[in-house]
Amino acid sequence: MYLQSNGFAGHSFWFNDNEEVERCALAFWSRFTIKQTYDKLRPKRTFTPHVSNHSAKPDEGNAEISVHGSQSMKHGWEWYEMGFFASWDPLGHVTLMCFDVPAKSQSTIFTTLCSQAVDLSLPYASFTPILEELIRLYDNSVWSIRNHISWWEARRTQETDYVLLHEISRHGVHVNETLKVATRSLSSIRQHYERSLVEINLLSSKNKRRSWDTVGEHLEFQLRFLEGLAERSKANNARIQNEITLLQYFSYNMALNHHFTIGWISPLPLEKEAARLVLDEEYPENEVQHKGVFYLGGQVGAHKVVIGVQRRIGLSQAAILAEKMRDGFPNIKYFLLVGIAGGVPRYGPAGEAHEIVLGDVVVSSPRGNHGGVLQYDKGAWQGQGRLSYRGHTNSVPGDLSTAVNNLRSEGWSKTKIPETLKQMRLKLDEKRQRQYDDPGPTRDRLFDDSYEHRGTELEDCKDCCDADYTTSRTERGLAATRAVDEPFVHFGNIASSNQLQISAVERNRVYLEHEAICFEMEAAGVMEEHPCVVIRGICDYADSHKNKGWQNYAAATAAAYAKGLLSMIPPGPSMKDSGDRDQNCRPVASQVNHVGSIRADGGKVIQGSTFQSNGGAMSF
């Protein structure tokens, strides 16, 4: 029974045959247990059952049953189960036995007791170095648990191992339990020491001797130290329970995360703000998160949409964001990459040319040898500085492409862009509404291809460039005419790269070689691995005359079209098993067809298409 205890302290006085106090002697015994954890913990899959001493047969020798075997070391923890026995008499004769003390602690205790620092003429003086070593072990025990907890607090964004968290909590309970028992044991020792001191003082008064109670002071200090450790241990347990509660909250959020089936990527913050305005319902920010990152979540029609914004521009950043969103929201079926871009002013064959003006929308659709998106700066340099194109990305997946074509075939009215733009503005105050107004044709400046921007990057063209080198919308003909809030939607290849396109000459070359009608810096990074459609509002002409005045409006027209497109996609089961996701969402090879645009005059589609211890004993 005593070998299975978590700690105790006992005491007894011995008197002479006449029970006279002047020949008294003292015996005391105790047991202290300490749990020590190490850096790598892992759950123990077996347990040692408790066997009652009362039910055992006398010859079974239950006292030899090992309750905590050395096998626990391979799981990252062990028990120190130490026993101590001492006897003392007023002449300073001491017998001390220590059982199952760790080797290092044995050496420390032995060295201290053999020094002149211990006054063996006082009871319990021999026990103070033992207590010092025990306190060191308890200190390590408490702080090792604290280290495990701090590790989780610092890395809670990683995948949660609830079994390991439970293991840490279990060991923390043991540490706290044994500390409380040790504190009570030391308190018992201190009280008994005070009792024994009365007897010793009686003897001292007969011999006219008095001594300062240094041992009592030391015992008091050690008791307070253990009490302090017990409070730290209690705090550890509160911290780990707090961590488990927090991770359960994260787990709850992850369950919510499974409801999102549409991932919406906004390369820039201004594009995210436009996306926010098309949400029919916006969810609280703290409910849409993964690994310490908050996302914008909400409802668009029948779809639950999660919106993420890139940290920096570029193909790799877009790919990283898509991967993180797919990891955190495993039932995302499709991605929409929605934002602003530069457009090719005129495209298409002679006699059937289309004009792209600022504020129009371009949607990725197959054209020529490409599936809707091409990385035009990917390939091999050959000959005299010529890049041989070798880039390839997946095309828009079949059912997503079907949704695009269904909306396209419905004509202008079904896009509902004008109504959506109006609804977006109504969500803002009057001052901010103006940020999303159509800037109008007079602010749409198309410069000659050979005329470069004359000022710095920060200077507006109206302040530094010659207007004589511009072509107005009127001069571009009827195809460039737009009513307020009625942009055209164009379908074709989108050129993507890590370089900002600011050269009209290079723009024209890429258009002629690859039939690309739009330039941006993210799509190829997403299309490489994920089912995606790209929707871009045109804010400049992919030349040196960049125009920030159109960015908010272009972001809004792209977001408005994206909302209309979602109405054409049937809602899927949101809690679908994520293991089926890759099979069901794998991009389908598309048939290449023609580029075209939706006109505002009557909703006619110009061109249609169909896609797819060892311890021992020591004695003195």
Side-chain angles (χ1 to χ4, degrees), residues 238-543:
R239 284 172 64 180
I240 194 64
Q241 290 305 318
N242 180 66
E243 194 67 17
I244 291 173
T245 300
L246 180 62
L247 290 168
Q248 286 172 339
Y249 174 72
F250 284 162
S251 180
Y252 167 75
N253 281 329
M254 279 302 297
L256 292 178
N257 290 354
H258 280 70
H259 289 277
F260 294 100
T261 57
I262 301 295
W264 182 310
I265 293 178
S266 300
L268 297 173
L270 69 91
E271 296 159 336
K272 178 184 176 182
E273 287 308 302
R276 185 192 302 273
L277 295 175
V278 302
L279 293 176
D280 296 321
E281 178 186 356
E282 182 178 340
Y283 301 151
E285 183 182 67
N286 62 354
E287 290 186 6
V288 188
Q289 57 177 290
H290 177 62
K291 293 186 176 179
V293 177
F294 291 105
Y295 294 85
L296 174 61
Q299 191 95 9
V300 178
H303 296 280
K304 288 182 170 58
V305 180
V306 57
I307 302 170
V309 63
Q310 292 178 208
R311 295 181 179 180
R312 293 182 294 276
I313 61 174
L315 303 183
S316 61
Q317 290 298 312
I320 290 171
L321 176 59
E323 191 62 35
K324 287 182 176 180
M325 292 177 68
R326 202 70 178 272
D327 177 52
F329 308 90
N331 282 328
I332 288 178
K333 190 175 183 182
Y334 301 121
F335 279 100
L336 275 60
L337 198 158
V338 187
I340 59 177
V344 175
R346 173 172 292 187
Y347 68 91
E352 201 175 336
H354 307 289
E355 296 284 337
I356 293 180
V357 303
L358 302 187
D360 280 358
V361 176
V362 173
V363 181
S364 59
S365 294
R367 172 71 175 171
N369 296 322
H370 306 291
V373 172
L374 64 120
Q375 186 178 345
Y376 65 94
D377 63 349
K378 185 177 182 180
W381 291 102
Q382 295 179 347
Q384 298 180 355
R386 180 177 177 80
L387 180 67
S388 176
Y389 172 77
R390 294 182 184 177
H392 178 74
T393 60
N394 292 319
S395 49
V396 181
D399 41 359
L400 187 54
S401 183
T402 298
V404 171
N405 289 320
N406 284 341
L407 181 58
R408 182 176 178 181
S409 66
E410 293 284 349
W412 169 256
S413 61
K414 280 292 183 178
T415 64
K416 298 182 179 179
I417 291 179
E419 301 101 281
T420 303
L421 289 171
K422 181 179 179 180
Q423 293 168 2
M424 293 169 69
R425 295 186 187 109
L426 289 175
K427 294 181 179 181
L428 301 170
D429 57 46
E430 185 177 352
K431 181 178 180 180
R432 293 187 62 203
Q433 284 180 12
R434 292 196 294 270
Q435 296 178 0
Y436 293 95
D437 285 343
D438 186 340
T442 59
R443 296 186 61 188
D444 184 350
R445 297 183 291 270
L446 174 60
F447 284 87
D448 294 349
D449 292 348
S450 60
Y451 186 79
E452 296 288 337
H453 183 64
R454 292 298 188 256
T456 66
E457 181 182 348
L458 300 177
E459 291 181 278
D460 192 281
C461 289
K462 65 182 178 62
D463 299 323
C464 60
C465 294
D466 192 340
D468 290 341
Y469 291 90
T470 62
T471 303
S472 67
R473 282 192 188 178
T474 303
E475 294 172 313
R476 294 171 65 182
L478 183 62
T481 301
R482 304 286 186 271
V484 175
D485 282 347
E486 292 189 2
F488 283 12
V489 181
H490 307 264
F491 302 86
N493 289 327
I494 293 178
S496 186
S497 78
N498 280 308
Q499 283 77 44
L500 179 63
Q501 175 54 258
I502 58 173
S503 168
V505 173
E506 181 66 10
R507 175 199 68 199
N508 295 339
R509 183 192 67 79
V510 176
Y511 160 66
L512 292 173
E513 290 187 9
H514 303 291
E515 300 180 86
I517 61 173
C518 176
F519 290 82
E520 52 92 89
M521 300 176 65
E522 287 81 26
V526 180
M527 295 289 289
E528 192 77 25
E529 298 290 340
H530 305 282
C532 179
V533 64
V534 184
I535 303 165
R536 292 291 190 173
I538 301 304
C539 64
D540 59 59
Y541 290 111
D543 56 13

Side-chain angles (χ1 to χ4, degrees), residues 152-172:
W152 274 106
E153 289 173 335
R155 295 167 174 83
R156 64 173 61 104
T157 56
Q158 299 181 359
E159 184 177 354
T160 304
D161 187 342
Y162 286 101
V163 175
L164 183 55
L165 278 171
H166 172 269
E167 189 72 5
I168 296 171
S169 182
R170 181 175 73 88
H171 294 308

Side-chain angles (χ1 to χ4, degrees), residues 51-63 65:
V51 179
S52 172
N53 291 75
H54 302 287
S55 64
K57 296 179 181 179
D59 58 349
E60 288 183 346
N62 285 311
I65 293 177

Side-chain angles (χ1 to χ4, degrees), residues 366-371 493 515 590-594 609-611:
R367 172 71 175 171
N369 296 322
H370 306 291
N493 289 327
E515 300 180 86
S590 299
Q591 297 294 323
V592 176
N593 217 307
H594 295 291
S609 55
T610 303
F611 304 99

